[in-house]
């Protein structure tokens, strides 16, 4: 017995000495790496609790509850500079709004950073191993599967968009022109994007929307809210116990599985046809279906489901959020509405074409200004997968090299960066589309991310949004704001309006 205890004690001592030696070696290596590269420590956010960061976490949660998290970030950067660190749950986070640092993380040093295991774990109940949660070879393979589906021929085909915008205009009329446009945009975009991706619309804009469609819509919203809560909890994610969240993820997956099964059946049928007859039906090319194209390259039903849920959620929230913010601002800027409508009417044609939309310059300015002030992904992050050095971010002024240890997180805010006066003028907080007449920003304007992970569907989202805006400006001669309050942020996986877009539209 005594010998066993002695052996156990020796084993513990050896383990302690081994891990202590490893820690000392790692510290020494990091010290030399930092010194050789001239790194300086970044500024730190003053914290009462420098280890668990409970004060910072509670401040974040309190601000989010009052719809002010993004303004909290803005005030922190105003007080602490472009780059500073916070410590929460024994994890260091580098917070930045410096475009040079962001460019290095997302592009020049892309291989040094990834999504990280914490983000994968938090989002996996809903997103699985989709393109927004994976890294390295798995991500590269999924990106290669998705990219061909966003070629110009598909993106500029307005046949699907047109039908659903027709339904939107008709629904606005049925509601006597007083509506919450954000709510309708989310339903319309889900309808149009599900038709593009599944080959069949969810049908939320219909007067007789099915129970399954409505259930899917609500489940998608709730599952997304639960996912963002898990992301905010970070290392305390284990405390998240919500049966409704689990059930909502199951509803979303089951709905997608139905279309995955159809796509795999399509794949099997295609495999039996001669090569020259594939994708043809009695001499007429079949309607393009995103999921069918993915199924040509893989028969893994889980991979297909994860991909389609990732893409559907991203496409819905990005486009619907952009549309909501555009009309939120138009309802409060009658002069911008009038100028935009004149631009639309000058170039409008029936049927509306991609070329006509490209000629609407002021429309492009309005969309860009909206993306600047209200970027879809207002904050984002990457985790270092190795010890590395960034060329900026260190020192009191943030201009010295910065050492980033493995597993440290870099969080960047496009919301804050897009409102920096040195890039966008003294009126950077104001909505002024005319600034885009001569503005040619680089990495300081990043509405769809950058580098290898730049959003593959950005052209699709911009085209769908521009088409919808042009159609509505043609159909309605004016808009009246019915909400006297300022915008309130709703941060889920993307930025939307908590107070919606309450307005009255005036038919042309």
């Amino acid at each position: 017995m005594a010998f066993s205890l002695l052996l156990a004690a020796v084993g513990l001592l050896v383990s302690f000495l081994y891990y202590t030696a490893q820690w000392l070696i790692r510290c020494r290596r990091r010290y030399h790496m930092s010194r050789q590269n001239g790194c300086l420590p970044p500024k730190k956010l003053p914290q009462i609790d420098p280890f668990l960061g409970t004060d910072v976490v509670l401040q974040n949660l309190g601000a989010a509850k009052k719809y002010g998290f993004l303004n909290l970030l803005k005030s922190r950067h105003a007080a602490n500079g472009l780059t500073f660190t916070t410590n929460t749950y024994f994890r260091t986070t580098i917070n930045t709004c410096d475009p040079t640092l962001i460019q290095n993380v997302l592009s020049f040093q892309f291989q040094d950073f990834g999504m990280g295991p914490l983000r994968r774990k938090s989002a996996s109940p809903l997103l699985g191993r989709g393109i927004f949660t994976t890294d390295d070879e798995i991500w590269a393979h999924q990106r290669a599967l998705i990219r061909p589906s966003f070629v110009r021929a598909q993106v500029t085909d307005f046949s699907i968009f047109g039908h659903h915008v027709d339904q939107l205009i008709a629904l606005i009329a049925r509601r006597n022109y007083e509506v919450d446009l954000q709510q309708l945009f989310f339903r319309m975009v889900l309808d149009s994007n599900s038709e593009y991706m599944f080959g069949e619309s969810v049908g939320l804009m219909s007067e007789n929307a099915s129970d399954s469609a409505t259930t899917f819509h609500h489940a998608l919203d709730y599952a997304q809210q639960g996912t963002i809560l898990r992301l905010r909890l970070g290392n305390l994610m284990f405390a998240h116990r919500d049966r409704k969240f689990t059930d909502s993820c199951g509803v979303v997956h089951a709905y997608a599985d139905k279309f995955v099964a159809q796509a795999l059946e399509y794949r099997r049928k295609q495999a039996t046809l001669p090569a020259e007859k594939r994708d043809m039906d009695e001499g007429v090319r079949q309607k393009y279906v995103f999921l069918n194209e993915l199924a040509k390259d893989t028969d893994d039903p889980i991979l297909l489901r994860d991909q389609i849920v990732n893409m559907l959620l991203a496409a819905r929230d990005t486009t619907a959020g952009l549309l909501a913010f555009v009309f939120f601002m138009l309802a409060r800027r009658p002069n911008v509405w009038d100028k935009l409508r004149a631009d639309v009417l000058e170039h409008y044609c029936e049927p509306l074409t991609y070329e006509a939309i490209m000629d609407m310059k002021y429309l492009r300015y309005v969309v860009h200004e909206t993306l600047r002030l209200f970027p879809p992904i207002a904050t984002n992050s990457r985790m270092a997968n190795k010890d590395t050095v960034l060329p900026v971010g260190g020192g009191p002024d943030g201009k010295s090299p910065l050492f980033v240890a493995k597993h440290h997180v870099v969080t960047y805010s496009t919301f804050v960066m897009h409102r920096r006066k040195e890039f966008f003028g003294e009126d950077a907080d104001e909505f002024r589309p005319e600034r885009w007449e001569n503005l040619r920003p680089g990495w300081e304007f990043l509405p769809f991310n950058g580098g290898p992970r730049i959003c593959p569907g950005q052209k699709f989202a911009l085209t769908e949004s521009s088409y919808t805006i042009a159609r509505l400006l043609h159909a309605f001669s004016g808009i009246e704001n019915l909400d006297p309050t300022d915008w309130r942020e709703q941060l889920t996986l993307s930025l939307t309006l908590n107070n919606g877009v309450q307005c009255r539209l005036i038919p042309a």
Side-chain angles (χ1 to χ4, degrees), residues 109-163:
Q109 295 172 243
F110 174 76
Q111 298 298 333
D112 295 350
F113 295 88
M115 294 301 178
L118 195 63
R119 180 163 171 171
R120 279 195 292 274
K121 187 177 180 181
S122 63
S124 62
L126 176 62
L127 301 179
R129 293 179 64 79
I131 192 170
F132 297 118
T133 61
T134 53
D135 289 313
D136 304 324
E137 292 81 9
I138 297 175
W139 166 80
H141 174 66
Q142 294 177 349
R143 175 87 175 193
L145 285 178
I146 286 172
R147 197 166 191 172
S149 298
F150 290 107
V151 299
R152 188 179 186 277
Q154 273 77 250
V155 170
T156 60
D157 180 4
F158 293 158
S159 58
I160 292 177
F161 300 160
H163 167 66

Side-chain angles (χ1 to χ4, degrees), residues 297-312:
D297 292 304
T298 180
D299 60 357
D300 182 340
I302 303 301
L303 174 60
L304 288 171
R305 184 191 72 194
D306 289 347
Q307 288 291 64
I308 208 68
V309 171
N310 275 246
M311 297 308 298
L312 186 66

Side-chain angles (χ1 to χ4, degrees), residues 319-482:
T319 306
L322 170 57
L323 287 168
F325 277 112
V326 165
F327 282 87
F328 184 89
M329 299 309 298
L330 290 177
R332 289 157 173 76
R333 302 288 193 280
N335 60 317
V336 177
W337 171 281
D338 292 341
K339 190 171 180 179
L340 177 58
R341 189 163 193 264
D343 182 44
V344 168
L345 295 181
E346 180 183 352
H347 300 98
Y348 199 89
C349 60
E350 291 280 5
L352 187 56
T353 64
Y354 178 78
E355 289 70 25
I357 287 176
M358 289 299 100
D359 286 337
M360 300 174 187
K361 289 185 179 180
Y362 196 67
L363 171 58
R364 186 161 63 252
Y365 300 160
V366 167
V367 168
H368 281 171
E369 183 71 345
T370 304
L371 288 169
R372 183 185 70 81
L373 284 175
F374 311 104
I377 310 299
T379 63
N380 211 333
S381 65
R382 294 290 184 270
M383 178 178 281
N385 53 40
K386 58 185 282 191
D387 292 345
T388 189
V389 172
L390 293 170
V392 295
D397 58 1
K399 294 180 180 179
S400 298
L402 172 66
F403 175 78
V404 183
K406 183 179 181 180
H407 295 150
H408 283 188
V409 173
V410 177
T411 294
Y412 55 97
S413 175
T414 52
F415 178 86
V416 178
M417 182 171 68
H418 286 183
R419 292 168 180 247
R420 286 178 57 185
K421 293 180 180 180
E422 61 266 46
F423 297 140
F424 299 102
E426 288 300 313
D427 61 348
D429 287 321
E430 299 299 318
F431 182 77
R432 187 172 63 84
E434 288 77 11
R435 79 176 76 244
W436 290 91
E437 291 175 1
N438 300 306
L439 200 58
R440 299 294 182 270
W443 278 78
E444 60 269 25
F445 179 62
L446 214 63
F448 293 102
N449 224 333
R453 278 189 180 266
I454 192 169
C455 175
Q458 66 169 310
K459 192 174 183 66
F460 183 88
L462 289 171
T463 302
E464 184 175 13
S465 300
S466 298
Y467 175 86
T468 303
I469 295 166
R471 287 286 310 278
L472 291 178
L473 268 288
H474 180 261
F476 300 101
S477 61
I479 185 171
E480 297 175 4
N481 177 35
L482 301 180

Side-chain angles (χ1 to χ4, degrees), residues 38-311:
C39 298
L40 292 178
K43 294 185 72 172
K44 293 183 178 180
L45 181 74
Q47 293 183 226
I48 299 172
D49 177 1
F51 302 108
L52 295 177
T54 50
D55 54 325
V56 173
V57 173
L58 290 174
Q59 193 178 31
N60 290 348
L61 293 174
K65 194 173 183 179
K66 296 178 181 177
Y67 320 112
F69 178 69
L70 294 177
N71 281 329
L72 173 63
L73 289 183
K74 194 165 179 281
S75 66
R76 283 176 178 169
H77 279 288
N80 298 282
L82 302 183
T83 305
F84 62 87
T85 62
T86 52
N87 291 311
T88 54
Y89 312 127
F90 302 101
R91 184 184 69 183
T92 297
T93 299
I94 298 163
N95 304 268
T96 190
C97 62
D98 185 337
T100 302
L101 191 152
I102 295 170
Q103 184 179 21
N104 277 272
V105 170
L106 298 183
S107 183
F108 296 153
Q109 295 172 243
F110 174 76
Q111 298 298 333
D112 295 350
F113 295 88
M115 294 301 178
L118 195 63
R119 180 163 171 171
R120 279 195 292 274
K121 187 177 180 181
S122 63
S124 62
L126 176 62
L127 301 179
R129 293 179 64 79
I131 192 170
F132 297 118
T133 61
T134 53
D135 289 313
D136 304 324
E137 292 81 9
I138 297 175
W139 166 80
H141 174 66
Q142 294 177 349
R143 175 87 175 193
L145 285 178
I146 286 172
R147 197 166 191 172
S149 298
F150 290 107
V151 299
R152 188 179 186 277
Q154 273 77 250
V155 170
T156 60
D157 180 4
F158 293 158
S159 58
I160 292 177
F161 300 160
H163 167 66
H164 296 289
V165 176
D166 288 342
Q167 286 189 313
L168 172 64
I169 293 170
L171 182 55
I172 291 170
R174 289 199 303 273
R175 295 191 176 182
N176 202 28
Y177 304 104
E178 290 190 11
V179 293
D180 174 3
L181 273 178
Q182 178 172 260
Q183 181 188 88
L184 299 187
F185 285 145
F186 268 82
R187 292 168 61 182
M188 182 203 75
V189 172
L190 186 58
D191 275 4
S192 63
N193 288 357
S194 59
E195 184 171 348
Y196 176 78
M197 293 185 183
F198 297 155
E200 179 183 319
S201 173
V202 172
L204 289 169
M205 297 295 288
S206 170
E207 289 186 78
N208 303 305
S210 68
D211 289 341
S212 63
T214 304
T215 300
F216 171 69
H217 181 53
H218 292 318
L220 194 61
D221 283 341
Y222 195 85
Q224 184 182 206
Q225 291 167 14
T227 299
I228 197 67
L229 176 59
R230 289 165 62 86
L231 283 166
R232 285 176 179 162
L233 286 172
N235 289 332
L236 295 182
M237 193 190 315
F238 63 87
H240 183 245
R241 295 286 186 270
D242 185 347
R243 182 57 187 238
K244 186 178 177 180
F245 168 74
T246 304
D247 291 343
S248 295
C249 291
V251 168
V252 172
H253 292 167
Y255 195 88
D257 285 340
K258 176 179 67 174
F259 295 103
V260 168
Q262 293 176 8
L264 292 175
E265 179 61 25
Y266 166 84
R267 173 191 169 104
R268 285 188 286 271
K269 287 181 178 179
Q270 288 293 98
T272 65
L273 294 176
E276 65 274 9
K277 291 189 176 294
R278 290 176 187 170
D279 297 320
M280 301 296 291
D281 184 7
E282 298 179 1
V284 179
R285 185 167 181 80
Q286 296 178 2
K287 179 175 70 174
Y288 181 87
V289 178
F290 180 87
L291 185 53
N292 286 350
E293 296 303 308
L294 292 185
K296 290 179 180 179
D297 292 304
T298 180
D299 60 357
D300 182 340
I302 303 301
L303 174 60
L304 288 171
R305 184 191 72 194
D306 289 347
Q307 288 291 64
I308 208 68
V309 171
N310 275 246
M311 297 308 298

